[in-house]
Amino acid sequence: MKKILYAICAEAMLLGGCDYVGSDAVRTPLSYHFDAPAKLWEETLPLGNGRIGLMPDGGVDEENYVLNEISMWSGSRQNTDNPDALRALPRIRELLFEGKNAEAQQLMYESFVCAGEGSQRGYRGQYGSYQLLGNLKIDYIYDDAAAVEDYRRELNLDEAVATTTFRRGTNTYTREAFTSQSADVAVIRMTASTGKSLSFFVGMNRPERYTIEIDRGDIKMYGRLYEGDKYYGRQTVETATPPPATEGKGMRYGARLRVLLPHGGTFSVADDTTLLVEDATEAILLVGMATDYFGQDVDAQVDSLVDAAEQKDYATLRREHIAAYGELYRRVDVDFGHNIEREALPINRRLALYRDDHNDPSLMALYFQFGRYLLISSTRPGLLPPNLQGLWCNTINTPWNGDYHLNINLQMNLWLSEVCNLSELHLPLIEWTKQQVPSGRRTARVFYNARGWVTHILGNVWEFTAPGEHPSWGATNTSAAWMCAHLFNHYLYTNDKAYLADVYPVMKEAALFFVDMLVEDPRSRYLVTAPTTSPENAYLMADGSKVSICAGSTMDNQILRELFGNVIEAAEILGIDDDFAQTVAAKRNRLMPTTIGADGRIMEWLEPYTEAEPHHRHVSHLYGLHPANEISVELTPELAEAARQTLIARGDESTGWSMAWKVNFWARLHDGEHSWKLLNDLLRPCIDEGFNYTNGGGTYPNLFCAHPPFQIDGNFGGSSGIAEMLLQSQNGYIEFLPALPDAWKTGHFSGLRVQNGGEVSADWVDGKLQTIGLKALTGGTFLIRIPPYAINLNVTINGKPKSCPVKSGLLEVTLKAGDNVKVGI
């Protein structure tokens, strides 16, 4: 049937139609392109290998490549201890329990904050900021002033290669760039169709704190970032003049640029910072980048990487890069149909048309795979997780310091990792979480006199775990608990008990903190997290004043129920800690349950406060719907309906990442049309035809998500939402197409992952499943929800027909690792 369908669709596509191409078809590689050089950074093309990044703008006469390295942070470790906090804690709680929340908040501002200035001084403070490593600047020399024709600038997602081509007179110029997944250097190749017609100046720079040298014919850039002003207690000791670029104790970084001319031409030193290439037919630039964050010798690392890459020709470097990248990227395939006419358009034009006419189904497939591409490009095992901008930035003072916000943003970055078959890319987040524990223990003791470990909303590479400088957002104290959900989620997808034993102590200590920190609210007798917030939101007091600090919140309770439950389950799996499991079970039973208010919505706080911002971007009280699974259509229908009413009242319009979260919410509510509507909103262009930034969340021309400004969590959350629409397994069984919109009536996916260690595929026509597949990556029993229209099932295991029981609409199969199940419906 699929082959017949494909033959029909192929004919329709030739006529510009929009139909499904089945899984037997040869896939057209996913890419997007522009027909002009970038005028804004948000039009440049993101390249990355998990450690280093490039963003070429494709300029014809002058071209700039922004250089990035994932650990390029200013600042340093700092003492955030504030003994005033613990002294004030009993009084803060008393005021909250007396209903004097505004007074409690004022006392918080006076006492319950980190020592020093927290994150607010950006790259000049000890908290620090993620920064660009530098710029690689090329000035081209042409023999004539001929007009530029046939310009095309493309990012190929299947290869992770950016290409720029154009004609100038009789010459065709081609530039390719990639950040090698195998050689760990940036590679740029430039060619001209007419021999000896490629000439240019090349150099490197950055806004501050750098030195340039010409060393052995290479350009070498190096320096030290500012470590930040020192804080003693709550006093600031400012450095009047920062140390020179090569001195001080800040992070050291370096880059080396080497020019190779395989087919002749010359290069020479133009001045102390610039090289000149003349009369070449082909030029290859190798760029090594590094910092000393992980303790390595910067010069030795950069030199060895560039030297090793030089030993291979360009074709080998390119081939090995594509193979290494493809091992991750090609695991998953999705197809919602095609509109050939739209796919041929530049991406900025394509987005503009999509705003009013959604007849471009492959744009959603592109957006989904772009999220996977960005994750592959911005993290890898042994390094750091992606920050608020992944690993791409073009400034020394990145918005929100380019840090790790822990009240959803960092977590959202990794939502797609397991289900989208990039499980090993979850590990940097897990290792980063483990790295916070020693600092988090100190924060727990100093601020709360509690055991275990805690962290709040702010995170960086310097183990900052203290409350933030503004309690209205900085007092949230369940971030460590939320991070531990990721630790356990990785186990749920892998069934790796050795891994679980490794991370269990981190989970246990996060729970131990709340064993000590939870306090009884005398008004309700429930245990509460006091003081706390519902992240970044505020409520109205009787006198109309806005207050954020509260005694417990719905999100806190949902997170703690999840944490305590995960610790109990992990202890049982590992056969340890029965006494502690009973302790946290008793604490869990004393938390106020998720409650429906008089208005039919989920209560955000534990009291019926009125929101100061009814359409606030955070929807924290629905954490139990997503990413947790406390609320579901099947198991808790009343709470699910209350969640629906909550979302309706909150509204769709918001920041980019918030709309992405709502895609996931509506998918969990099995409302594919609303999820699809939000995806369409998320793809709304955020730069107009006059290259002006527009207000509101959406998408920039290069497909970066707009908060605004750029925040990568929206990209990752959007891809996660698409996966949730296609597949869910959080309730103990596999559900295919739980939130399929009419726009995707016919389609295919393969390679997505489910809990309990499975990899699955599905084909559907006219909204109905035709075939599903399951490969067991670990042995076990799987339950598969069978749709009510499936009358006769054709089940095979490893190619052999098999009779399997179906009970209450669930097909049960018990498999060994490596077994394959196919179900015809």
Side-chain angles (χ1 to χ4, degrees):
M1 178 177 178
K2 287 185 291 179
K3 290 183 178 179
I4 296 173
L5 177 66
Y6 171 60
I8 296 172
C9 292
E11 180 178 357
M13 287 166 60
L14 291 174
L15 300 175
C18 173
D19 284 295
Y20 169 65
V21 178
S23 59
D24 291 343
V26 176
R27 299 296 187 204
T28 301
L30 285 173
S31 65
Y32 66 79
H33 74 277
F34 294 89
D35 60 2
K39 291 183 172 65
L40 303 168
W41 181 68
E42 293 86 356
E43 290 188 312
T44 60
L45 303 178
L47 297 166
N49 70 357
R51 188 181 71 84
I52 61 173
L54 282 182
M55 294 199 71
D57 65 11
V60 172
D61 298 312
E62 298 179 355
E63 186 172 27
N64 190 73
Y65 291 78
V66 177
L67 308 176
N68 293 116
E69 208 275 358
I70 189 64
S71 61
M72 188 76 173
W73 266 81
S74 63
S76 57
R77 289 174 177 83
Q78 58 183 298
N79 179 9
T80 57
D81 292 356
N82 179 9
D84 291 345
L86 184 58
R87 287 192 287 267
L89 182 59
R91 181 55 182 158
I92 291 168
R93 287 171 168 167
E94 287 177 3
L95 290 169
L96 288 171
F97 297 151
E98 292 170 4
K100 300 175 181 178
N101 296 23
E103 292 181 40
Q105 180 163 295
Q106 181 59 39
L107 182 55
M108 290 278 288
Y109 268 89
E110 295 169 358
S111 60
F112 210 92
V113 293
C114 58
E117 294 184 9
S119 65
Q120 61 189 334
R121 299 191 67 243
Y123 74 106
R124 286 294 189 189
Q126 269 194 290
Y127 183 85
S129 176
Y130 182 63
Q131 304 187 5
L132 87 167
L133 188 138
N135 295 288
L136 189 157
K137 179 74 177 301
I138 303 175
D139 293 307
Y140 294 97
I141 304 169
Y142 298 100
D143 294 333
D144 56 52
V148 173
E149 299 179 277
D150 298 332
Y151 183 95
R152 183 181 179 94
R153 184 166 54 91
E154 179 181 78
L155 178 62
N156 185 320
L157 299 191
D158 286 66
E159 297 182 344
V161 174
T163 305
T164 299
T165 60
F166 58 89
R167 283 194 304 109
R168 187 169 179 141
T170 59
N171 227 325
T172 298
Y173 294 90
T174 302
R175 306 168 193 160
E176 283 192 330
F178 57 90
T179 46
S180 175
Q181 289 276 351
S182 51
D184 206 14
V185 295
V187 182
I188 302 167
R189 180 185 185 235
M190 296 170 282
T191 62
S193 61
T194 302
K196 298 184 178 181
S197 56
L198 188 61
S199 300
F200 57 88
F201 294 95
V202 61
M204 291 190 291
N205 63 62
R206 72 185 309 272
E208 66 168 22
R209 307 193 62 74
Y210 72 103
T211 297
I212 298 287
E213 293 178 359
I214 305 298
D215 179 51
R216 294 179 289 144
D218 298 343
I219 301 177
K220 181 180 177 182
M221 181 172 69
Y222 60 95
R224 284 190 181 274
L225 301 184
Y226 193 40
E227 64 181 312
D229 299 328
K230 297 296 187 294
Y231 302 108
Y232 298 91
R234 304 194 64 191
Q235 301 298 314
T236 302
V237 179
E238 297 202 16
T239 304
T241 304
T246 57
E247 298 179 13
K249 297 180 181 179
M251 185 178 294
R252 190 177 188 280
Y253 69 91
R256 180 177 288 273
L257 166 63
R258 182 166 298 170
V259 178
L260 306 177
L261 303 177
H263 301 293
T266 64
F267 77 88
S268 58
V269 177
D271 56 39
D272 291 343
T273 63
T274 310
L275 297 178
L276 170 62
V277 172
E278 295 180 286
D279 302 327
T281 302
E282 176 184 3
I284 298 171
L285 309 183
L286 303 177
V287 188
M289 299 172 255
T291 78
D292 65 355
Y293 176 71
F294 291 101
Q296 65 269 40
D297 183 288
V298 172
D299 292 334
Q301 182 181 9
V302 169
D303 293 355
S304 64
L305 289 171
V306 173
D307 290 345
E310 185 182 5
Q311 302 306 308
K312 299 179 179 181
D313 61 26
Y314 177 77
T316 301
L317 287 170
R318 190 180 192 278
R319 182 178 64 254
E320 291 178 350
H321 157 69
I322 292 172
Y325 164 77
E327 197 283 320
L328 294 168
Y329 177 79
R330 295 175 186 273
R331 294 174 182 175
V332 172
D333 180 43
V334 295
D335 193 335
F336 304 134
H338 293 270
N339 183 328
I340 300 302
E341 292 179 354
R342 290 285 187 90
E343 292 171 10
L345 296 174
I347 188 64
N348 51 334
R349 179 63 179 153
R350 197 173 170 186
L351 288 170
L353 288 174
Y354 191 82
R355 177 177 49 203
D356 300 317
D357 180 357
H358 302 321
N359 183 22
D360 190 356
S362 66
L363 183 60
M364 286 296 182
L366 174 66
Y367 192 78
F368 169 78
Q369 291 285 36
F370 185 64
R372 295 184 68 249
Y373 166 86
L374 291 176
L375 187 60
I376 296 168
S377 301
S378 60
T379 192
R380 71 186 194 208
L383 298 178
L384 291 166
N387 58 49
L388 280 172
Q389 297 201 178
L391 61 63
W392 298 279
C393 73
N394 65 337
T395 177
I396 59 173
N397 205 19
T398 306
W400 296 285
N401 302 308
D403 71 0
Y404 299 118
H405 270 40
L406 305 179
N407 60 3
I408 187 174
N409 311 98
L410 176 58
Q411 293 92 333
M412 184 183 285
N413 283 1
L414 278 300
W415 283 352
L416 77 163
S417 59
E418 300 292 345
V419 67
C420 291
N421 211 335
L422 297 171
S423 183
E424 60 266 68
L425 300 187
H426 212 165
L427 295 177
L429 176 76
I430 292 165
E431 292 302 316
W432 182 88
T433 301
K434 292 161 63 177
Q435 187 179 338
Q436 310 311 304
V437 173
S439 172
R441 289 179 185 137
R442 184 180 182 93
T443 296
R445 184 175 67 255
V446 170
F447 284 81
Y448 300 93
N449 192 30
R451 297 169 295 169
W453 77 283
V454 65
T455 190
H456 297 78
I457 178 178
L458 296 175
N460 60 12
V461 300
W462 309 119
E463 292 92 51
F464 187 100
T465 58
E469 62 268 21
H470 287 282
S472 63
W473 50 260
T476 301
N477 51 44
T478 47
S479 295
W482 191 338
M483 299 303 296
C484 285
H486 283 259
L487 272 58
F488 193 66
N489 199 43
H490 183 68
Y491 168 76
L492 292 177
Y493 277 85
T494 63
N495 289 334
D496 185 341
K497 288 187 180 180
Y499 158 81
L500 183 62
D502 178 63
V503 300
Y504 174 76
V506 179
M507 297 168 56
K508 178 181 177 179
E509 284 200 55
L512 181 61
F513 169 76
F514 289 102
V515 167
D516 287 358
M517 184 269 190
L518 286 169
V519 60
E520 182 180 270
D521 186 334
R523 298 168 297 179
S524 65
R525 302 299 181 186
Y526 285 120
L527 296 181
V528 296
T529 50
T532 190
T533 69
S534 185
E536 302 186 37
N537 204 0
Y539 54 89
L540 299 177
M541 297 296 289
D543 62 0
S545 61
K546 295 181 181 179
V547 177
S548 298
I549 298 300
C550 57
S553 70
T554 294
M555 185 198 75
D556 280 7
N557 286 357
Q558 291 172 348
I559 289 177
L560 292 188
R561 274 192 291 272
E562 180 183 46
L563 172 66
F564 291 160
N566 290 346
V567 167
I568 292 168
E569 185 175 352
E572 181 179 358
I573 292 167
L574 297 172
I576 58 175
D577 266 350
D578 183 62
D579 289 345
F580 186 71
Q582 293 182 38
T583 296
V584 297
K587 295 287 185 179
R588 181 179 61 177
N589 291 338
R590 295 196 60 195
L591 297 172
M592 178 175 166
T594 298
T595 302
I596 302 172
D599 57 6
R601 296 183 286 153
I602 301 291
M603 289 174 57
E604 183 163 359
W605 296 273
L606 306 190
E607 298 178 65
Y609 298 129
T610 300
E611 309 107 311
E613 293 182 58
H615 305 301
H616 196 271
R617 60 194 175 276
H618 284 262
V619 198
S620 303
H621 44 316
L622 296 191
Y623 177 92
L625 176 62
H626 184 278
N629 63 338
E630 177 180 298
I631 301 171
S632 75
V633 172
E634 297 87 353
L635 303 177
T636 59
E638 291 183 358
L639 287 177
E641 177 57 30
R644 182 185 300 273
Q645 296 305 317
T646 301
L647 288 169
I648 291 171
R650 208 62 144 201
D652 293 342
E653 184 69 23
S654 194
T655 61
W657 66 262
S658 178
M659 291 191 290
W661 194 5
K662 292 169 185 174
V663 174
N664 292 266
F665 283 142
W666 285 105
R668 286 283 174 94
L669 292 174
H670 292 182
D671 192 332
E673 295 307 316
H674 209 131
S675 288
W676 186 69
K677 187 265 182 189
L678 276 157
L679 282 171
N680 296 334
D681 293 345
L682 189 59
L683 284 167
R684 179 177 54 221
C686 283
I687 293 177
D688 63 24
E689 295 181 0
F691 299 98
N692 301 303
Y693 295 97
T694 59
N695 295 323
T699 296
Y700 291 118
N702 65 359
L703 295 186
F704 274 173
C705 185
H707 178 286
F710 165 49
Q711 266 188 214
I712 203 168
D713 45 4
N715 288 105
F716 294 140
S719 292
S720 168
I722 292 171
E724 288 280 346
M725 295 165 74
L726 299 175
L727 177 71
Q728 294 178 23
S729 63
Q730 73 279 358
N731 290 325
Y733 54 84
I734 304 168
E735 186 170 12
F736 290 90
L737 311 183
L740 188 72
D742 288 343
W744 303 345
K745 281 186 177 180
T746 301
H748 158 84
F749 72 78
S750 62
L752 296 180
R753 296 276 302 275
V754 294
Q755 292 185 9
N756 201 30
E759 183 176 303
V760 298
S761 63
D763 293 89
W764 65 95
V765 174
D766 291 332
K768 293 185 177 181
L769 283 168
Q770 303 296 299
T771 60
I772 57 178
L774 166 65
K775 178 181 179 180
L777 304 178
T778 62
T781 297
F782 296 84
L783 299 176
I784 303 171
R785 178 172 288 284
I786 300 300
Y789 54 78
I791 305 300
N792 297 311
L793 300 181
N794 178 17
V795 181
T796 64
I797 298 180
N798 300 327
K800 297 179 180 180
K802 183 74 173 180
S803 177
C804 299
V806 177
K807 299 177 182 179
S808 301
L810 297 175
L811 172 70
E812 180 178 323
V813 290
T814 300
L815 305 173
K816 302 185 299 295
D819 283 350
N820 283 280
V821 176
K822 296 291 182 184
V823 182
I825 296 176

